[in-house]
Amino acid sequence: MALRKYAGYAWNLISLVGMILAVTATSLIIGFLSYEGITGVEKPYLGLMTYFLFPGMLIVGLLLVPLGAYIVREKRRRHPEEKIEPFPKVDFNDAHKRHLFIFFVVASIGFVLIVSVASLKGYEFTESTTFCGELCHKVMEPEHVAWANSPHAKVKCVECHVGPGAAWYVKAKISGMRQLYAVAFHTYPETIQTPIDNLRPARDTCEHCHWPEKFYAGRQKVFYHYAPNEENTPREINMLINIGGTPKSQHNKGIHWHIGQEVRYIATDRQRLDIPYIAVKEKDGSITEYFNTEKPLSKADVAKAEKRVMDCLDCHNRPAHIYRSPGVEMDEALAAKRIDIALPYLKKTAVEILTRPYKNKEEATATIAKDLPEYYAKNYPNVSKQKTKEIAHAVTVVQDIYTRNFFPAMKVSWNTYPNHIGHFYTPGCFRCHDGKHKTAAGKVISKDCNMCHTVLSQKQENILEGSKHSEFVHPVDIGDELYKANCSDCHSAGGQDVPGGEHHAKK
Ligand code: HEC
Ligand code: HEC
Ligand code: HEC
Ligand code: HEC
Ligand code: HEC
Ligand code: HEC
């Protein structure tokens, strides 16, 4: 009778289901946690189950057990023969009750431990790049791939997209929830639009690691290129980039001048490529206003429009998600000797194949594998025979370039998101520094080629070895278009196949 009275309450279907759920969930959590601990492998869907689904199952299970018992007890209590009091009596002199109580305490501690470990790991997990980059694999693939190939590959997504503090965590997770929903029900726009609206202010996140007051005055950088000719002739532009710091640092002139000063501007498009108005707050508090002389805004337009204060992201808008043009990728592969420079017209041919439109990745990789060897078989039969291995290797390198910079499934390719840092493929700095933005008094935002950088030396087919040039020499003579036009007017295609570039006739 006593046994039935106490243990018996839990002997019902609801409690039994609860117990099975709890025991299964506990063993799954322990199992997967130790699998992850031993192998060090983090799998996104496994993580989602281990940190959220199974702990949920455990809690539901543990609630079902007393619920079932309570229902049974209430039912029996209503039976006139059973004399059961409204509340159970806790009597530690009763060995059975004492054991039951000890079991209850031990089980509770174990339960609290498991759930806390799981939720701590769960928090960590939602902060991981696995969660951000792989869980919604298709949607985030371009960003994840480009990030993994950037100087910030060791910086977690959340350090830029969320940053420290509970408020931004909650904000980001709520918008993350919306995105998860959008992915599940395909309501997301095909290509993610930038600039993203809910990004934390750049100075909060970037300055967590980078301190503008301590930037170097200058940074030497060599730009490697290879001519689209038979020899893939190397070209080198060795420049000193005038980085500079903020007004509080020792070197307060130079590129980072903009972040010490309050610079506001109006953009007429979402990508902020068209900037007709800029206002600078000078040290004495006065405002200097620059207008694009080709499309002047009226006073009323200026008063009405939203003005953005310039920060890191107005130049470094692609610090982590950097896509490179086929031309730049081929230059880097050649500079790093990942491909054989002795293959005639390799740069020109590969860039030409990469810039064709493809429906999907499979079509692109198949075409590369077919067309590159065919080009050599047809035009250079000897090279084709002697360098079969090198050509096959070039195929894998070119395929890799495609998969890192073209994502047809998300309609993203290397030039979907303009990078504002320079002025070669996109207007970048020349959005303002184009020589066309002036004050009423005639002061111009300078386009002087030696203001932002100085050419230290340059190697090129049209430069005599040993001769000195203080200015950049363009590889083909384009006259004063070099200074008048924007480089991106001709170079936005991404390879060397710019108008007028056809003089390098294909063999
Ligand atoms: C160093 C900082 C940084 C890190 C690390 C970083 N991002 Fe970003 N991300 C940015 C910035 C800045 C933008 C906004 C770009 C713009 O406005 O043009 C952005 C934009 C995006 C976008 C919008 C689409 C696009 O390409 O502009 C997505 C999606 C994204 N990031 C996902 C991720 C994921 C996933 C990770 C981790 C694998 C990650 N980010 C890591 C800085 C970062
Ligand atoms: C968690 C720390 C961290 C955060 C946050 C961070 N960075 Fe960085 N960043 C780094 C590190 C580390 C490097 C150096 C990588 C190297 O040189 O190997 C770096 C490198 C850079 C570089 C030099 C890249 C190059 O080509 O040499 C730039 C520019 C930069 N970061 C801009 C930004 C901007 C803009 C943001 C904010 C959106 C940002 N960083 C946020 C850690 C961070
Ligand atoms: C007016 C545009 C502009 C703004 C605004 C700007 N930067 Fe830069 N920054 C540059 C350029 C250009 C370079 C040099 C790039 C290169 O060498 O390729 C640079 C270089 C850097 C570097 C690399 C320095 C080195 O020694 O290698 C870091 C880090 C950096 N910026 C961080 C920041 C941070 C953080 C902010 C915001 C507080 C910021 N920048 C704002 C244009 C800008
Ligand atoms: C939104 C407009 C805008 C953009 C974009 C912009 N600048 Fe500027 N920049 C200005 C203005 C305005 C001045 C101040 C002109 C003056 O006072 O003569 C300036 C001044 C400068 C100076 C001179 C600072 C000094 O020492 O006095 C440098 C160097 C410079 N910019 C570099 C860059 C680089 C590099 C980029 C691109 C990465 C860039 N700027 C993008 C608006 C812009
Ligand atoms: C407002 C600042 C600014 C002005 C003015 C400017 N540049 Fe630049 N330029 C840059 C920056 C910043 C980079 C580096 C971009 C990077 O690191 O990728 C650059 C890069 C370059 C490169 C190397 C491009 C490559 O990828 O090989 C050349 C060549 C160049 N500039 C030539 C010129 C010439 C010619 C002029 C004058 C018509 C000029 N620049 C005016 C800021 C400027
Ligand atoms: C009128 C069109 C035009 C303008 C404007 C122009 N370019 Fe070019 N650029 C060309 C042509 C054509 C080539 C030749 C292709 C070749 O031989 O690589 C070229 C090649 C180059 C190359 C060599 C690329 C490589 O992969 O080897 C560099 C670097 C370059 N231009 C820089 C600039 C810069 C910087 C500016 C702006 C200040 C600029 N160009 C403006 C047409 C132009």
Side-chain angles (χ1 to χ4, degrees), residues 475-491:
V476 290
D477 189 4
I478 53 169
D480 62 355
E481 283 296 299
L482 182 63
Y483 306 105
K484 275 179 24 211
N486 275 357
C487 317
S488 54
D489 293 346
C490 295
H491 284 285

Side-chain angles (χ1 to χ4, degrees), residues 55 65 67 182 286 314 344 387-388 464:
V65 178
L67 180 75
S286 64
D314 289 294
K387 293 205 173 257
T388 320
L464 233 61

Side-chain angles (χ1 to χ4, degrees), residues 28-33 36 43 45-56 118-119:
L28 283 172
I29 293 172
I30 294 174
F32 283 139
L33 279 182
E36 209 194 88
K43 295 227 170 68
Y45 290 99
L46 213 64
L48 208 59
M49 292 194 300
T50 314
Y51 308 135
F52 301 107
L53 184 68
F54 300 150
S119 49

Side-chain angles (χ1 to χ4, degrees), residues 77-385:
R77 215 161 67 79
R78 258 178 265 128
H79 210 278
E81 268 174 39
E82 307 246 12
K83 288 204 180 61
I84 302 175
E85 287 165 58
F87 294 100
K89 252 192 254 155
V90 184
D91 180 3
F92 288 144
N93 294 318
D94 180 339
H96 175 74
K97 279 192 184 163
R98 197 165 59 238
H99 292 157
L100 210 63
F101 182 76
I102 293 171
F103 171 76
F104 178 75
V105 170
V106 171
S108 304
I109 292 173
F111 164 75
V112 169
L113 260 172
I114 291 174
V115 171
S116 351
V117 169
S119 49
L120 256 175
K121 292 279 292 183
Y123 170 81
E124 221 177 73
F125 177 66
T126 62
E127 301 276 272
S128 73
T129 46
T130 319
F131 181 81
C132 306
E134 288 175 34
L135 199 57
C136 18
H137 186 78
K138 186 181 145 224
V139 184
M140 295 282 178
E141 191 194 3
E143 284 74 26
H144 190 252
V145 169
W147 160 83
N149 193 31
S150 83
H152 289 105
K154 296 272 166 199
V155 178
K156 285 183 182 176
C157 319
V158 289
E159 298 204 50
C160 293
H161 286 279
V162 185
W168 281 97
Y169 180 80
V170 172
K171 210 165 162 174
K173 287 293 123 85
I174 289 172
S175 93
M177 227 68 111
R178 260 206 323 267
Q179 278 149 22
L180 212 62
Y181 168 86
V183 172
F185 297 96
H186 281 263
T187 61
Y188 57 87
E190 284 231 310
T191 307
I192 299 172
Q193 299 278 325
T194 52
I196 38 184
D197 302 317
N198 51 5
L199 201 66
R200 187 179 186 144
R203 305 206 54 168
D204 271 18
T205 47
C206 313
E207 287 183 26
H208 209 67
C209 298
H210 299 289
W211 194 18
E213 321 239 305
K214 291 290 162 199
F215 285 158
Y216 296 108
R219 177 199 202 187
Q220 188 192 355
K221 193 166 172 179
V222 184
F223 296 85
Y224 296 96
H225 295 285
Y226 292 83
N229 58 16
E230 188 167 24
E231 296 78 31
N232 309 298
T233 312
R235 299 165 168 172
E236 270 177 42
I237 314 160
N238 182 356
M239 291 205 297
L240 187 66
I241 300 180
N242 186 10
I243 289 180
T246 62
K248 277 188 230 143
S249 65
Q250 301 110 299
H251 16 265
N252 59 11
K253 280 212 153 294
I255 296 170
H256 284 117
W257 165 89
H258 309 71
I259 46 172
Q261 216 76 15
E262 199 177 292
V263 182
R264 290 173 183 272
Y265 69 86
I266 295 172
T268 56
D269 63 330
R270 187 180 162 105
Q271 291 196 309
R272 302 177 185 146
L273 288 171
D274 181 36
I275 300 181
Y277 170 90
I278 302 123
V280 179
K281 193 169 180 181
E282 306 290 351
K283 295 216 171 62
D284 60 8
S286 64
I287 306 280
T288 311
E289 289 179 301
Y290 299 87
F291 290 88
N292 183 349
T293 43
E294 283 181 0
K295 28 183 145 168
L297 289 185
S298 70
K299 271 222 150 57
D301 291 337
V302 171
K304 224 172 36 216
E306 189 195 332
K307 290 169 208 73
R308 181 179 153 84
V309 179
M310 223 174 151
D311 69 19
C312 320
L313 292 188
D314 289 294
C315 302
H316 299 283
N317 63 328
R318 312 299 303 172
H321 313 295
I322 306 169
Y323 306 106
R324 294 169 185 82
S325 75
V328 167
E329 283 279 6
M330 284 305 290
D331 291 340
E332 287 182 1
L334 283 161
K337 299 194 164 45
R338 266 184 281 139
I339 36 179
D340 187 359
I341 194 167
L343 292 172
Y345 281 113
L346 177 58
K347 178 175 176 192
K348 187 178 166 68
T349 313
V351 167
E352 189 269 310
I353 295 175
L354 280 166
T355 34
R356 284 184 215 156
Y358 296 103
K359 277 198 287 297
N360 52 43
K361 200 167 275 181
E362 291 69 32
E363 190 194 30
T365 47
T367 308
I368 294 164
K370 185 171 144 288
D371 285 14
L372 200 58
E374 247 177 46
Y375 172 82
Y376 290 106
K378 196 164 139 228
N379 298 291
Y380 296 91
N382 283 341
V383 175
S384 175
K385 271 188 224 105

